[in-house]
Amino acid sequence: MKKNSGKRKISEKISETIMSALAGIGVLAILFIFVFVFLRALPVFKESGIGLFISTGFERQVVTAYGSAEPLYSFGLLGLITGTLATTTLAIVTASLIGIGSAVVISEFAPRPLAYSLTSLVRLLASIPSVIFGLVGVIIVVPFISSLFVTTELQLQYLSRFQITGRGLLASVIVLTFMLVPTVTALSADAIAAVPKRFKEAGYAMGMTRFRVILKIILPTGRSGIIASVILAAGRGIGEAIALAMVCGGIGLVPDLSLGFVTLLAPVLPLSAAIMVNSEGAGSQSVSAALFACAAVLLLIGTVLSITARAVNSYMRKKIGDAA
Amino acid sequence: MKPKKIFALTLVMVFAFLLIPAMNLSASATTAATVKRTVNVDGFEIATDTVTDGSTVLVPLKFLEEAVGAITTYNPRSRSISIRTASFSFSMDIGQRSYTVNGQRRSMPVAPRLSGTVPYVPLVTVIRDIGGIFATNPSTKNMTVTYFSNISGNVVITGSTTLYPFMVEAADFLNEFNPNLNITVAGGGSGAGQTGTIDGTNNIGMSSSTVSADRQKQIRYIIPVAYDAIAIVIHPSNPVQNLTLAQAAAIFKGEITNWNEVGGNNAPIIVHSRDAVSGTGVTVRELLIRPFYGSDNDAIVETATPHVSNGLQRNAVASDVNAVGFLSIGYVDSTVKFVSLNDIAPTFDTVISGAYPLGRNLYLLSRSRPMGASARIIDFIRTNHAQQEFIAAAEFLTIRPIN
């Protein structure tokens, strides 16, 4: 008996060490990525300083750096940062509205067989490679936008500042929304399905309408799952490169809100798309450093987002209590 | 005395008659009669004129270009011949059996000779020296050359997306032909092709832009395998047919911004271009903008919409009536319309002749003189067969005219 338990302890210890070693490797890998990316980007951070975050003109700087014999490390990422934030924020807002709505429909309104097939469909959509969304964007979304909004007069009017081609913020947001809706829907539907039936029944028993049950019971109870789905979608949105590179217009302009609707037609260049578009030039020392700087800023944005989301979630948990 | 004189005379005459065939023989050495024969090169029958001397078959210099992708030159003044494959360079002289391969002195069974003005060289010597197998069927006299079907090794080819489509096809063909050969072809662009060649991540680089003098120190072997031209394309409904080079340069520089300045409608010129580091984009800057604006000021207008591939740019021009863009000639199709430059349309003839101003070479690169499998691949892509099957089929221009 004693021998046996001793043996088990040893084997448990061994598996424990293996597990923690594996976990350690995971943590180390992440740390290594951070350190590596920041080290490679260091020349750019040093040379550009704060200008990296407050000046623009990235595409032209890349052209110059690529053609220059001496390494140039002065870059301005403001346009890229605002482009990333604008596309992701707008896409997250629309995708959350559509995605959470569809999740409610799937798990609350649709009859069983329909809900089941809708769920599998959404999961399938979530696994579509992003390049396909990019193609759909180029072949359908961009021509659709240009036929709706782009006129020769409009093109003439803004020609000196930017070209209106249908590629731009609006196209990026639409394509990104398409990409994020399945993620939000699939995960939110799971979260909603996990809301205990007795909660809903209690609501109905108290004479609440279906709408109020959804608004006051289901959504607040499934809140943390829904928020998690939105965070995951935001992560995918920030990191999305190829689909956006195909429809964003490729120029890192800071969205100018004073233009009103035309802002949506102006080209943008999110960080991840900038890395993808210019990766061919990574053979050049300075272009490579610039792309690592983009990656570093992207990592920073991702980290900040993740921490903020956690903070918001725990704040809300404290404020209204965790129902589920 | 008399019979003696007659005897001597007959003797002289007999000698003279004996000399006639000998003189004939020495005459045939310079203007030998040619015979049409076929040589089987790795399964492909190639017809050629031949000259036979004893058991040695001589072929015209050009045959070596068509069959094994060599570069040959003949200097009639010094009567010297040079033959260069990727790995080997021969230097021979008409009428001399001794020759050199990569600087090493050797001797061949019969000397190169002229038939008319065409130099002929012994096929067996060249094929065996470059590492091929030459065999003649004793009964049928059929000649077979094995050079592209006995390759083995791993070869990585990376670089320009312009060369990529036909290099992939050629690599697939060779991989299938050679069980022990494994060629991997990847894109990445001309810039990546050049740096890959320098740092050794590829065995062969592909580049659609010229290698800078600086980089030529590290990339010692640069060989064109096809020609390409860049066409300036517009929407099919755009009435503009022709631009002067200066106008085209000004359009891409952003100094001409309305189609009515070049004879079109009152409409903005929407400029499409490639990403900052594309080989096609770099070529446009070098060939079109630089001559007018200088190398410090040759960037394409800042507002131009960049695209990551030729195909996406074509798609963009095809869907915007006010658009202008540039494409590798192989990508021009009926969805877009090319404009003539200085009244010269980008056709195969104008590009080959050099009349069309935006022509360029497509190169394969190697850090040093290629050896082994890499060399065979480079030789292969320059053969007539490969030029026809892969270069012409991909709508690029072949390095030599192919009937």
Side-chain angles (χ1 to χ4, degrees):
Chain A
M1 241 351 228
K2 261 191 176 174
K3 242 185 179 178
N4 236 349
S5 73
K7 255 187 191 170
R8 199 184 299 147
K9 259 182 192 165
I10 288 172
S11 67
E12 264 172 20
K13 258 190 182 166
I14 290 173
S15 57
E16 228 169 68
T17 10
I18 291 176
M19 294 284 195
S20 37
L22 287 176
I25 289 174
V27 173
L28 274 181
I30 292 173
L31 276 181
F32 176 76
I33 290 174
F34 269 81
V35 171
F36 178 76
V37 167
F38 278 91
L39 276 183
R40 293 293 301 267
L42 203 58
V44 175
F45 283 123
K46 269 189 193 158
E47 189 86 16
S48 317
I50 192 75
L52 192 66
F53 300 98
I54 57 166
S55 68
T56 57
F58 182 73
E59 313 77 42
R60 186 48 61 92
Q61 291 152 358
V62 167
V63 173
T64 320
Y66 187 69
S68 152
E70 281 139 49
L72 298 172
Y73 291 117
S74 193
F75 294 94
L77 300 185
L78 178 65
L80 276 57
I81 296 169
T82 52
T84 302
L85 294 178
T87 47
T88 315
T89 316
L90 289 176
I92 276 295
V93 169
T94 47
S96 304
L97 289 176
I98 301 172
I100 297 171
S102 342
V104 168
V105 168
I106 285 174
S107 41
E108 292 301 312
F109 292 108
R112 256 269 146 92
L114 183 63
Y116 181 77
S117 44
L118 277 177
T119 316
S120 13
L121 186 72
V122 165
R123 282 183 206 284
L124 188 73
L125 279 176
S127 63
I128 289 180
S130 51
V131 66
I132 294 181
F133 283 99
L135 272 181
V136 170
V138 166
I139 294 168
I140 297 170
V141 177
V142 170
F144 178 72
I145 292 175
S146 29
S147 68
L148 267 189
F149 305 117
V150 181
T151 60
T152 296
E153 291 71 44
L154 203 63
Q155 284 182 327
L156 261 182
Q157 193 184 340
Y158 290 97
L159 193 61
S160 55
R161 293 182 62 182
F162 50 81
Q163 297 188 153
I164 299 177
T165 62
R167 288 165 193 73
L169 185 55
L170 183 59
S172 307
V173 168
I174 291 175
V175 168
L176 204 52
T177 304
F178 281 148
M179 292 184 61
L180 302 186
V181 162
T183 310
V184 176
T185 309
L187 293 174
S188 302
D190 286 349
I192 291 171
V195 174
K197 217 173 174 189
R198 58 197 155 91
F199 284 27
K200 289 184 257 179
E201 277 161 0
Y204 288 126
M206 283 159 70
M208 287 167 97
T209 59
R210 203 174 205 185
F211 180 72
R212 283 189 68 82
V213 168
I214 290 167
L215 213 62
K216 293 286 173 191
I217 297 177
I218 295 176
L219 290 182
T221 314
R223 189 193 62 237
S224 58
I226 294 173
I227 289 179
S229 79
V230 173
I231 293 170
L232 211 67
R236 191 177 179 194
I238 284 178
E240 179 44 44
I242 185 141
L244 289 187
M246 289 160 88
V247 299
C248 67
I251 296 173
L253 294 178
V254 180
D256 183 349
L257 295 177
S258 67
L259 298 178
F261 177 72
V262 178
T263 313
L264 286 176
L265 299 177
V268 288
L269 181 63
L271 285 161
S272 44
I275 297 176
M276 208 223 90
V277 168
N278 293 304
S279 57
E280 205 183 295
S284 147
Q285 219 180 341
S286 40
V287 173
S288 149
L291 298 187
F292 272 103
C294 291
V297 175
L298 208 54
L299 277 177
L300 277 181
I301 295 179
T303 315
V304 168
L305 178 89
S306 169
I307 292 172
T308 321
R310 256 166 209 285
V312 167
N313 199 14
S314 67
Y315 172 79
M316 283 170 77
R317 194 170 292 186
K318 265 183 211 149
K319 190 110 190 245
I320 39 181
D322 197 2
Chain B
M1 265 322 240
K2 254 192 176 173
K4 257 190 181 174
K5 249 187 182 172
I6 291 168
F7 179 65
L9 220 97
T10 10
L11 217 82
V12 167
M13 284 182 75
V14 166
F15 265 109
F17 271 110
L18 277 174
L19 271 172
I20 289 171
M23 280 165 71
N24 260 346
L25 209 75
S26 70
S28 74
T30 48
T31 54
T34 61
V35 181
K36 265 239 184 294
R37 293 180 66 176
T38 58
V39 183
N40 182 319
V41 182
D42 298 287
F44 300 106
E45 301 284 344
I46 304 174
T48 176
D49 290 331
T50 60
V51 171
T52 309
D53 182 340
S55 62
T56 308
V57 176
L58 294 92
V59 292
L61 211 46
K62 290 291 167 216
F63 176 83
L64 296 171
E65 299 202 345
E66 294 162 11
V68 297
I71 301 170
T72 66
T73 54
Y74 171 62
N75 181 341
R77 193 167 299 169
S78 63
R79 291 162 70 86
S80 59
I81 295 169
S82 111
I83 302 166
R84 279 181 295 135
T85 66
S87 289
F88 298 95
S89 45
F90 294 77
S91 122
M92 302 176 175
D93 294 294
I94 297 291
Q96 303 275 328
R97 283 175 52 199
S98 84
Y99 67 104
T100 61
V101 185
N102 287 359
Q104 202 183 348
R105 186 157 289 282
R106 289 185 191 172
S107 176
M108 55 187 138
V110 296
R113 64 193 60 183
L114 291 178
S115 171
T117 55
V118 181
Y120 279 68
V121 293
L123 183 58
V124 57
T125 307
V126 176
I127 295 300
R128 289 193 179 152
D129 279 356
I130 62 177
I133 300 166
F134 179 86
T136 312
N137 186 317
S139 53
T140 60
K141 302 282 179 206
N142 283 342
M143 294 174 284
T144 51
V145 169
T146 309
Y147 186 58
F148 297 119
S149 55
N150 59 347
I151 317 174
S152 61
N154 292 314
V155 178
V156 177
I157 304 175
T158 64
S160 166
T161 52
T162 311
L163 285 91
Y164 177 80
F166 65 75
M167 286 306 290
V168 165
E169 301 242 327
D172 284 348
F173 176 85
L174 283 177
N175 280 338
E176 206 171 306
F177 224 48
N178 297 276
N180 296 322
L181 177 66
N182 180 21
I183 311 174
T184 317
V185 187
S190 298
Q194 294 183 12
T195 47
T197 303
I198 292 170
D199 62 30
T201 49
N202 65 36
N203 303 96
I204 301 175
M206 305 183 280
S207 179
S208 59
S209 56
T210 51
V211 178
S212 65
D214 180 41
R215 279 186 169 173
Q216 280 183 26
K217 286 178 202 143
Q218 290 159 290
I219 303 176
R220 297 318 259 290
Y221 185 83
I222 302 166
I223 192 159
V225 293
Y227 298 114
D228 181 24
I230 291 167
I232 307 293
V233 292
I234 56 179
H235 193 268
S237 70
N238 192 323
V240 173
Q241 304 281 357
N242 178 63
L243 295 170
T244 66
L245 261 188
Q247 285 172 333
I251 284 174
F252 283 99
K253 198 78 192 80
E255 295 190 348
I256 294 180
T257 57
N258 196 311
W259 283 112
N260 64 14
E261 293 173 63
V262 292
N265 302 325
N266 176 24
I269 299 178
I270 303 295
V271 182
H272 293 270
S273 76
R274 288 289 307 279
D275 49 284
V277 293
S278 129
T280 319
V282 170
T283 308
V284 166
R285 290 168 56 192
E286 277 175 11
L287 297 182
L288 180 64
I289 303 179
R290 195 167 295 175
F292 295 96
Y293 296 92
S295 58
D296 299 333
N297 194 25
D298 64 357
I300 294 169
V301 57
E302 235 163 354
T303 53
T305 304
H307 299 272
V308 287
S309 73
N310 273 307
L312 283 174
Q313 190 179 168
R314 179 180 60 202
N315 175 283
V317 174
S319 60
D320 185 348
V321 288
N322 298 326
V324 66
F326 52 83
L327 293 177
S328 252
I329 196 166
Y331 283 90
V332 177
D333 65 9
S334 59
T335 63
V336 292
K337 178 174 97 172
F338 62 73
V339 292
S340 300
L341 292 176
N342 291 347
D343 290 314
I344 299 163
T347 65
F348 284 17
D349 291 339
T350 57
V351 174
I352 289 259
S353 72
Y356 184 71
L358 299 184
R360 61 174 174 171
N361 295 351
L362 304 182
Y363 298 101
L364 290 185
L365 318 171
S366 174
R367 191 154 47 162
S368 54
R369 181 188 274 276
M371 300 303 282
S374 304
R376 298 281 178 98
I377 294 166
I378 293 173
D379 286 342
F380 174 72
I381 200 76
R382 291 181 52 89
T383 62
N384 267 18
H385 172 72
Q387 290 280 314
Q388 174 113 48
E389 285 288 302
F390 306 115
I391 308 290
E395 297 181 23
F396 290 105
L397 311 180
T398 53
I399 49 171
R400 68 184 83 88
I402 291 171
N403 35 0

